[in-house]
Amino acid sequence: MVKFLLSVSILFLSLSSAGSVSAQESGRTRFILAASWQPAFCQTNQKKAECATQSGDRYDATNFSLHGLWPMRQDYCGVPDDQKAADKDGQWTSLPAVNLSAETKSALDKSMPGTQSALERHEWIKHGTCTKMSADDYFATAIDLMGDLNASAVRDLFAANVGKVLKADAIKAAFDKSFGAGASDRVKMSCRRVGNKRVISELTIGLSQDAVSAQAKEKGLGGLIQGAGQTSFGCDEGIVDAAGF
């Protein structure tokens, strides 16, 4: 009888474990958090205001910068045609100013240096309008998620290796350490060529449908990543670029 109960218990645990793995693998990516490594971005955008003013002691020199929070397969929701055309032409400063509280604007200027070039207007017009959130809530959510990323082992790894090559395995291990086993399977890394160097330019991180829900803050970046679908990691290695040209 004892052996029978033990066998049943083992079978139950095995099925539970299999179900857990299956649930993890069957997640679906509904949103993307795009996090740029600003020094790499600035290598090929030196004339942009945020790049011309970048320095080694500024926050974005050793922390990830917010590029955007993107709903999958949706953009320009309810946006007038003239604003859509202006956005696609890169005329971001002609777009309507985004209505933000003083607190959110201050935090966004730090997290998204591209506000110096009206990046927030572009991100709101193209992506934020499809979230059914207010602009303030949309950007506050993205800022919170970036805070989680920049408080993680991933950011620490990058900051400790400025000017050096980082391999995918080390970055994936840092994601799994900070956000749970398998988190790295929901991340893609992009690199770009700058002269004869290949630098890491951006991480795009898959998130579940709860990214813009009331549960987002409670789940945090780790919980939202775990509910997303898997993807390939992309670039296998690159240099963590330092500020300056």
Side-chain angles (χ1 to χ4, degrees):
M1 183 65 177
V2 172
K3 288 184 177 180
F4 172 75
L5 291 174
L6 182 59
S7 298
V8 170
S9 297
I10 292 172
L11 177 61
F12 176 78
L13 289 171
S14 298
L15 290 173
S16 297
S17 176
S20 176
V21 171
S22 176
Q24 187 182 54
E25 291 179 347
S26 64
R28 189 168 180 182
T29 300
R30 297 289 190 174
F31 293 88
I32 295 290
L33 178 68
S36 297
W37 191 254
Q38 193 72 5
F41 169 80
C42 286
Q43 286 288 355
T44 52
N45 293 276
Q46 297 180 16
K47 292 183 179 180
K48 282 188 173 288
E50 63 269 28
C51 295
T53 59
Q54 190 183 48
S55 62
D57 59 356
R58 202 168 74 180
Y59 181 79
D60 57 298
T62 53
N63 287 272
F64 290 100
S65 294
L66 174 62
H67 181 175
L69 178 60
W70 307 333
M72 294 290 287
R73 301 178 186 87
Q74 286 183 294
D75 54 34
Y76 299 112
C77 296
V79 175
D81 288 342
D82 60 332
Q83 292 181 18
K84 184 175 178 180
D87 184 69
K88 288 188 171 184
D89 285 343
Q91 299 173 22
W92 297 349
T93 56
S94 71
L95 297 172
V98 180
N99 186 21
L100 301 175
S101 67
E103 180 182 3
T104 301
K105 185 180 185 309
S106 176
L108 186 62
D109 286 343
K110 179 179 179 180
S111 184
M112 178 189 273
T115 55
Q116 295 180 53
S117 298
L119 175 60
E120 81 283 6
R121 300 186 187 193
H122 160 71
E123 291 298 320
W124 172 249
I125 286 287
K126 185 173 183 180
H127 304 291
T129 53
C130 297
T131 63
K132 299 180 180 178
M133 303 175 83
S134 69
D136 202 80
D137 286 345
Y138 169 70
F139 283 110
T141 296
I143 291 165
D144 283 345
L145 295 175
M146 288 300 299
D148 287 351
L149 178 61
N150 282 324
S152 75
V154 182
R155 177 268 169 189
D156 291 347
L157 178 68
F158 272 67
N161 286 278
V162 171
K164 302 175 185 177
V165 173
L166 271 184
K167 295 185 179 295
D169 286 348
I171 299 167
K172 293 177 74 172
F175 263 99
D176 290 347
K177 177 182 178 181
S178 291
F179 303 114
S184 60
D185 295 330
R186 279 87 178 155
V187 179
K188 184 178 288 292
M189 184 167 79
S190 299
C191 298
R192 64 175 62 183
R193 284 281 176 187
V194 177
N196 61 355
K197 302 187 301 181
R198 181 166 68 165
V199 297
I200 300 170
S201 56
E202 188 161 70
L203 301 175
T204 45
I205 304 167
L207 307 176
S208 72
Q209 62 185 2
D210 291 325
V212 296
S213 75
Q215 302 176 53
K217 196 156 191 174
E218 178 186 343
K219 285 180 175 287
L221 182 57
L224 297 173
I225 290 173
Q226 291 294 341
Q230 297 183 356
T231 187
S232 59
F233 195 74
C235 181
D236 60 347
E237 66 174 48
I239 294 172
V240 181
D241 199 36
F245 314 126

